[in-house]
Amino acid sequence: MSRAVAIEDLSVVIKGKEVLRKIHFSLEEGVFLGIVGPNGGGKTTLIRTILGLVRATSGSVSVFGRNPESLLTGDNVFGYLPQHQNIDPNFPATALDIALMGRYRAAGLLRWPGKQDREKALQALSVMGAEDLKDAQYSQLSGGQQQRISIARALAGDPRMLILDEPSTGIDVVGQEDFYHLLKGLQKKMNLTILMVSHDIGTVTTYVDEIACLNINLYYHGNPLGALNEKVLTSLYGKNVDVLMHTDVCDKCERLRK
Ligand SMILES: Nc1ncnc2c1ncn2[C@@H]1O[C@H](COP(=O)(O)OP(=O)(O)O)[C@@H](O)[C@H]1O
Ligand SMILES: [Mg+2]
């Protein structure tokens, strides 16, 4: 196994405010990592640092042994689904058009997508169980369907690492579980390294291999069940921990205590 991410003593200060403090962790290739923590805890910033979009104030980040900024051009390493997507809901585009956008990097912005790009985009739709939606208008699809199409776009460029920032916001619980299940399948089938930011600590622990608990500091990184204790959860959510914990999180804590 090779090392996908190595972060050493990473601090990030934005506009005089410390957003990440001395973060230290590494991740092997092929691992599914969940990143959880409160709003403003630095989750998006951590991801953007790994993507080479935010620079470390001190410390270092390497991705597959390289400086992430050097990965912004050249080989396609990342498939990225940002927290706030910039697809205009009224833009007339089919699902296939959206998936093809994931090929721009390979095809070049100025080149008309070719047969291979089309095949890759269709393949990505099919992996996401959305091939039959290819001619549908993106704007007419449900939230869950749009999410699948967006991930197909991220996969169409053949990434080694898939990075998803709160992908399940606005999707019902049953849909979310199906969705995590699908990601788990992708991880195995394509040997993908997956980093996923999620609000839903209860469900996410069932599917990920490792979890990182972030609130400026990295309070925990490791086996998901190890995060479900009062000490870690209080460092994330403070005194509101009882209110914020889902019932299934409480159930897991109970089982752990026994
Ligand atoms: N470009 C920016 N300009 C100003 N503040 C920022 C910027 N990016 C992040 N921050 C601040 O950094 C903190 C962490 O933000 P973020 O990484 O988005 O957290 P999360 O994704 O966990 O909600 C927040 O307090 C946010 O206001
Ligand atoms: Mg965020």
Side-chain angles (χ1 to χ4, degrees):
M1 270 204 295
S2 83
R3 187 148 290 182
V5 179
I7 295 183
E8 287 175 16
D9 248 358
L10 167 73
S11 294
V12 174
V13 177
I14 298 176
K15 297 183 179 148
K17 187 178 161 197
E18 194 170 36
V19 176
L20 296 173
R21 182 184 300 141
K22 294 199 176 291
I23 306 294
H24 204 94
F25 81 96
S26 64
L27 194 70
E28 299 301 320
E29 180 159 28
V31 172
F32 188 172
L33 173 76
I35 302 172
V36 299
N39 267 332
K43 303 181 296 296
T44 296
T45 305
L46 178 65
I47 275 179
R48 288 174 56 81
T49 312
I50 292 170
L51 287 160
L53 301 171
V54 167
R55 197 170 282 183
T57 307
S58 62
S60 69
V61 177
S62 87
V63 175
F64 297 114
R66 291 176 57 187
N67 175 344
E69 280 177 50
S70 76
L71 297 171
L72 289 172
T73 52
D75 292 351
N76 198 26
V77 170
F78 301 112
Y80 175 39
L81 187 68
Q83 185 169 7
H84 304 289
Q85 284 196 74
N86 44 12
I87 298 174
D88 176 350
N90 297 313
F91 184 67
T94 64
L96 180 59
D97 293 333
I98 301 286
L100 265 171
M101 289 176 186
R103 297 294 304 169
Y104 282 170
R105 194 189 170 98
L109 265 177
L110 299 174
R111 184 164 79 63
W112 200 250
K115 189 158 170 264
Q116 200 205 359
D117 300 313
R118 218 183 129 80
E119 272 165 17
K120 289 279 185 192
L122 283 170
Q123 228 174 50
L125 286 172
S126 137
V127 161
M128 291 309 294
E131 205 175 3
D132 54 336
L133 297 175
K134 68 179 163 52
D135 297 320
Q137 282 298 313
Y138 181 80
S139 58
Q140 310 277 306
L141 299 175
S142 74
Q145 289 170 327
Q146 288 186 344
Q147 173 205 47
R148 282 170 185 245
I149 307 304
S150 304
I151 293 171
R153 178 178 61 165
L155 290 174
D158 270 338
R160 263 176 107 176
M161 193 184 293
L162 182 63
I163 299 190
L164 308 165
D165 197 347
E166 306 208 24
S168 58
T169 311
I171 290 160
D172 61 80
V173 175
V174 178
Q176 272 182 36
E177 297 203 348
D178 285 350
F179 171 64
Y180 292 147
H181 202 73
L182 189 83
L183 287 181
K184 189 92 203 143
L186 283 184
Q187 175 204 8
K188 297 290 172 229
K189 202 157 59 188
M190 303 163 86
N191 190 34
L192 267 178
T193 307
I194 305 182
L195 273 65
M196 181 175 74
V197 173
S198 174
H199 256 112
D200 181 13
I201 185 169
T203 312
V204 88
T205 44
T206 321
Y207 293 93
V208 297
D209 304 313
E210 295 178 14
I211 202 156
C213 299
L214 192 68
N215 186 10
I216 306 174
N217 299 287
L218 180 65
Y219 283 102
Y220 178 86
H221 171 223
N223 182 305
L225 285 180
L228 298 176
N229 66 62
E230 228 172 297
K231 186 160 168 267
V232 173
L233 293 173
T234 306
S235 56
L236 292 183
Y237 301 110
K239 293 198 184 93
N240 295 324
V241 65
D242 292 340
V243 185
L244 279 158
M245 276 203 306
H246 290 242
T247 36
D248 58 337
V249 177
C250 300
D251 287 349
K252 277 178 193 147
C253 291
E254 280 307 307
R255 265 183 273 136
L256 273 178
R257 283 197 197 98
K258 278 173 196 157

